[in-house]
Amino acid sequence: MNRLYDMEPRVMDDEMLKLAVGEQGPREEAGQLAKQEGILFKDVLSLQLDFQNILRIDNLWQFESLQKLQLDNNIIEKIEGLENLTHLVWLDLSFNNIEAIEGLDTLVNLEDLSLFNNRISKIDSLDALVKLQVLSLGNNHIGNLMNVIYLRRFKALRTLSLSGNPVAEDEDYKMFICAYLPDLVYLDFRRLDDHMKELAEMKHQYSIDELKHRENLVQARLEDEQARREELEEHKAAFVEQLNGTFLFDSMYTEDVEGSKLSHLPGVGELLEAYKDKFVIICLNIFEYGLKQQEKRKAELDNFMECVQEAIQENQEQGKLKIAKFEEKHLLSLNAIREESELSNIEAKIVQYSEDITELFNVLMTLEMQLMEQLEETINMFERNIIDLVGLFVENVQSLMAQCRDLENHHHEKLLEIAINILEKIVKGEMDEDLPDDVRSLFVDKDTIVNAVGASHDIHLLKIDNREDELVTRVNSWCTHLLDKIHKDEIMRNRKRVKEINQYIDHVQSELDSLECGDLLD
């Protein structure tokens, strides 16, 4: 099974790759032209590198469009260097010295994978290959039949090869695979018949039912997690994530050592609960307001994009009509010039046709200028509207955050009042309740307890301020980047359109020039 180093190992360098691409390139005239001009690696769709004595996969990053890669019959020990080959559909790594499946995480379009005749002992690390249809793992060291269950996650898998592995010697091999991979069509190059599948399902029904139950639980958990992630992304898009609960309030006490101690004081528990309830209500108000404002911003953006697309489409239709009319006349004009025998008439027709070209250019450029002005007005209106929406959102959020600070200030005053009263009781020896030692240590004197309450208050205000600053900074940044992108996109659209117009006019002008030279020479 093992491939031997019967000759000097080779490196996958540019020279090898250029030679391979050249040999596998197009033949005849196209091939000659490709050899003269060179074939760009990024345009290559298929690459054959078998029987090259390659030890290490390397230098393939430029083959970004590659769909088929053949690396069989080499001495490769590790799957690596394939990260950029995201369009790969077919990969052959058979007859190598590979010991572990790895390095395939970016190959999300891979449908056919051959690792036949290697040294692999475990089926794993294929999770990203969601489109996998054909998997060849024959002649390896896979010995655990239960490892096959891993392949249940590949819903498109129809062909599997495991012959030549220790697992294939198990007397229950085929039945087990039929039961646990019911969608498989071919096993070890033979079609699986429905009768065997039915028998396998009956034989392993209890285990399969248990497995399906566990899979359903896992799937439900994954769907819940995905739903939570999507929900969180929606909240982030509205800049109000984690304001729909106690998160901000709890975060104020996470690093507040003094506040935790002070919460043990008599009467503070009730005060804290009332403070928390009111604080969370304000956070929920910010959250719900944020989601509503996000919907308004989204509607404004959608409406703007729709207006832009309608304007561009209408303008393009007008341009197409102008070009269609010109091309209808264009053929007649060219034929008229070709058929004219009098030199003076030829010159006159050429002048007229040249004027028609100039007129078409002016018409198309005028249409583009009109579109530019229309889009500029639309963009400016959208810019005013979105800035107003963001400004209103920021203003109201700041107002609600100010209410949070008011609550914190009120709580601080009440807490300080309770703490001073307790200090006075302790001094007078009238304190009946027992306090934990770390809490009692705060009541050395008035300055100590005032500083402790003040430190807690400062931490809370800082948390509120930071959350407000973060929200305001992010929404303003979003607005700035969005408007910058819209302006840049319009500049690029205009440049592209002007280039298209010039290229078309140059094309028809070159037709006239070549005709003019030919007729005048005749």
Side-chain angles (χ1 to χ4, degrees):
M1 180 185 292
N2 298 339
R3 302 276 297 163
L4 301 176
Y5 298 86
D6 51 0
M7 58 183 287
E8 189 69 25
R10 296 183 64 194
V11 178
M12 287 179 64
D13 55 16
D14 273 3
E15 184 179 347
M16 177 191 288
L17 297 172
K18 285 177 183 176
L19 182 62
V21 169
E23 289 178 348
Q24 298 158 43
R27 306 298 179 192
E28 300 176 352
E29 283 189 32
Q32 295 301 319
L33 185 63
K35 284 183 179 179
Q36 290 173 13
E37 297 183 357
I39 301 173
L40 296 175
F41 287 174
K42 71 179 183 66
D43 296 327
V44 175
L45 300 180
S46 178
L47 184 61
Q48 186 175 339
L49 292 166
D50 54 336
F51 295 97
Q52 298 287 330
N53 224 51
I54 295 168
L55 176 62
R56 181 184 174 190
I57 305 170
D58 203 359
N59 288 309
L60 291 176
W61 60 272
Q62 297 178 73
F63 291 83
E64 56 191 54
S65 300
L66 200 64
Q67 295 179 11
K68 182 176 180 180
L69 177 59
Q70 195 168 334
L71 285 166
D72 59 285
N73 289 280
N74 285 291
I75 51 174
I76 297 165
E77 296 179 346
K78 184 178 181 181
I79 306 173
E80 59 186 339
L82 304 176
E83 296 82 9
N84 293 319
L85 310 186
T86 55
H87 292 95
L88 212 58
V89 175
W90 190 93
L91 175 61
D92 188 353
L93 284 163
S94 56
F95 294 96
N96 279 287
N97 296 322
I98 297 165
E99 296 185 356
I101 301 173
E102 58 188 331
L104 302 172
D105 294 343
T106 61
L107 308 188
V108 294
N109 290 301
L110 201 63
E111 296 177 5
D112 192 318
L113 173 63
S114 179
L115 289 163
F116 186 84
N117 211 99
N118 277 280
R119 303 173 180 176
I120 295 165
S121 58
K122 185 179 181 182
I123 309 172
D124 63 357
S125 302
L126 294 168
D127 297 36
L129 279 54
V130 292
K131 297 182 180 179
L132 192 63
Q133 297 176 22
V134 179
L135 178 60
S136 177
L137 283 166
N139 282 19
N140 275 281
H141 299 164
I142 299 164
N144 186 355
L145 195 54
M146 297 300 289
N147 191 194
V148 174
I149 296 174
Y150 169 79
L151 297 175
R152 284 174 63 84
R153 69 191 66 196
F154 302 100
K155 304 304 180 185
L157 187 65
R158 296 295 177 268
T159 302
L160 175 65
S161 168
L162 285 170
S163 60
N165 283 280
V167 289
E169 303 301 320
D170 193 299
E171 61 180 17
D172 196 33
Y173 169 64
K174 283 188 179 178
M175 282 285 190
F176 185 91
I177 290 179
C178 283
Y180 282 91
L181 303 178
D183 295 325
L184 206 63
V185 178
Y186 296 96
L187 175 62
D188 299 331
F189 313 107
R190 291 187 179 182
R191 188 177 183 89
L192 297 170
D193 62 79
D194 293 337
H195 179 62
M196 178 178 283
K197 288 185 176 182
E198 289 174 7
L199 292 176
E201 185 179 355
M202 290 172 60
K203 181 177 182 180
H204 293 273
Q205 184 174 0
Y206 179 75
S207 298
I208 293 292
D209 288 345
E210 272 197 345
L211 179 60
K212 284 181 178 178
H213 177 67
R214 291 198 301 272
E215 286 176 340
N216 289 336
L217 291 176
V218 170
Q219 184 61 31
R221 188 176 72 249
L222 290 174
E223 288 174 1
D224 286 345
E225 289 173 359
Q226 179 63 23
R228 283 196 293 272
R229 282 195 295 270
E230 289 174 0
E231 186 180 54
L232 180 60
E233 288 305 312
E234 290 177 9
H235 298 168
K236 284 182 177 179
F239 312 103
V240 291
E241 72 277 6
Q242 296 178 322
L243 287 173
N244 56 332
T246 64
F247 181 82
L248 180 57
F249 185 88
D250 294 340
S251 72
M252 296 192 308
Y253 284 86
T254 302
E255 301 167 10
D256 182 11
V257 178
E258 306 298 354
S260 298
K261 294 177 182 177
L262 294 167
S263 65
H264 292 91
L265 297 178
V268 172
E270 296 83 352
L271 179 68
L272 196 57
E273 282 301 314
Y275 173 34
K276 182 176 183 177
D277 291 343
K278 293 175 183 177
F279 191 95
V280 170
I281 288 172
I282 296 173
C283 288
L284 287 171
N285 288 338
I286 296 173
F287 176 78
E288 290 167 4
Y289 175 68
L291 293 184
K292 289 178 183 176
Q293 287 301 300
Q294 168 64 3
E295 284 300 314
K296 289 184 178 180
R297 291 193 296 271
K298 185 177 182 298
E300 186 69 34
L301 180 57
D302 290 344
N303 183 57
F304 163 73
M305 297 303 294
E306 187 178 336
C307 290
V308 168
Q309 290 306 313
E310 284 179 1
I312 291 173
Q313 187 173 351
E314 184 181 345
N315 188 273
Q316 286 177 344
E317 291 299 325
Q318 292 180 32
K320 287 177 183 177
L321 286 174
K322 299 293 183 184
I323 290 173
K325 287 182 180 178
F326 170 81
E327 289 190 342
E328 194 176 323
K329 187 178 178 182
H330 166 70
L331 292 173
L332 296 174
S333 299
L334 289 178
N335 289 333
I337 294 170
R338 289 190 187 100
E339 293 169 1
E340 185 59 60
S341 56
E342 291 291 329
L343 182 59
S344 59
N345 290 340
I346 290 174
E347 290 176 343
K349 283 182 169 59
I350 287 173
V351 169
Q352 179 58 50
Y353 186 41
S354 184
E355 288 175 357
D356 290 344
I357 294 173
T358 302
E359 182 184 351
L360 176 64
F361 174 75
N362 290 334
V363 166
L364 293 177
M365 290 302 289
T366 299
L367 281 173
E368 176 56 24
M369 288 296 294
Q370 289 172 350
L371 179 60
M372 275 183 62
E373 291 172 1
Q374 184 181 355
L375 292 181
E376 184 180 359
E377 184 178 339
T378 303
I379 290 170
N380 288 338
M381 183 181 298
F382 170 75
E383 187 169 354
R384 288 193 296 272
N385 291 345
I386 204 72
I387 287 174
D388 286 347
L389 279 174
V390 168
L392 179 64
F393 174 57
V394 168
E395 182 181 336
N396 286 330
V397 166
Q398 288 176 328
S399 175
L400 289 166
M401 284 293 188
Q403 293 179 30
C404 288
R405 276 187 286 271
D406 289 342
L407 280 177
E408 169 57 30
N409 289 332
H410 177 73
H411 176 74
H412 168 67
E413 291 171 2
K414 290 293 184 182
L415 181 60
L416 185 60
E417 183 180 325
I418 290 172
I420 295 298
N421 287 336
I422 289 174
L423 177 63
E424 291 175 355
K425 286 183 179 181
I426 290 174
V427 170
K428 294 176 181 178
E430 299 174 356
M431 186 65 186
D432 297 329
E433 296 90 341
D434 288 332
L435 296 176
D437 292 341
D438 58 341
V439 178
R440 185 172 286 275
S441 65
L442 298 175
F443 292 88
V444 176
D445 52 40
K446 187 175 182 180
D447 286 344
T448 303
I449 192 60
V450 168
N451 289 337
V453 175
S456 174
H457 179 51
D458 290 342
I459 289 172
H460 298 175
L461 288 178
L462 183 62
K463 288 287 185 180
I464 297 169
D465 292 346
N466 286 345
R467 185 62 182 92
E468 179 184 328
D469 291 343
E470 180 197 16
L471 186 151
V472 172
T473 300
R474 280 172 53 205
V475 71
N476 284 330
S477 177
W478 170 83
C479 184
T480 300
H481 286 126
L482 174 64
L483 295 175
D484 284 348
K485 185 178 185 303
I486 287 170
H487 285 291
K488 286 176 182 176
D489 287 349
E490 169 53 17
I491 291 170
M492 294 303 294
R493 184 210 62 79
N494 170 249
R495 287 177 180 172
K496 182 181 177 183
R497 181 56 180 161
V498 169
K499 184 179 179 180
E500 288 172 352
I501 293 170
N502 281 314
Q503 285 177 338
Y504 179 74
I505 295 299
D506 289 344
H507 168 69
V508 294
Q509 185 64 52
S510 67
E511 282 189 323
L512 176 61
D513 293 343
S514 61
L515 184 63
E516 181 181 354
C517 291
D519 287 329
L520 290 177
L521 285 171
D522 291 341

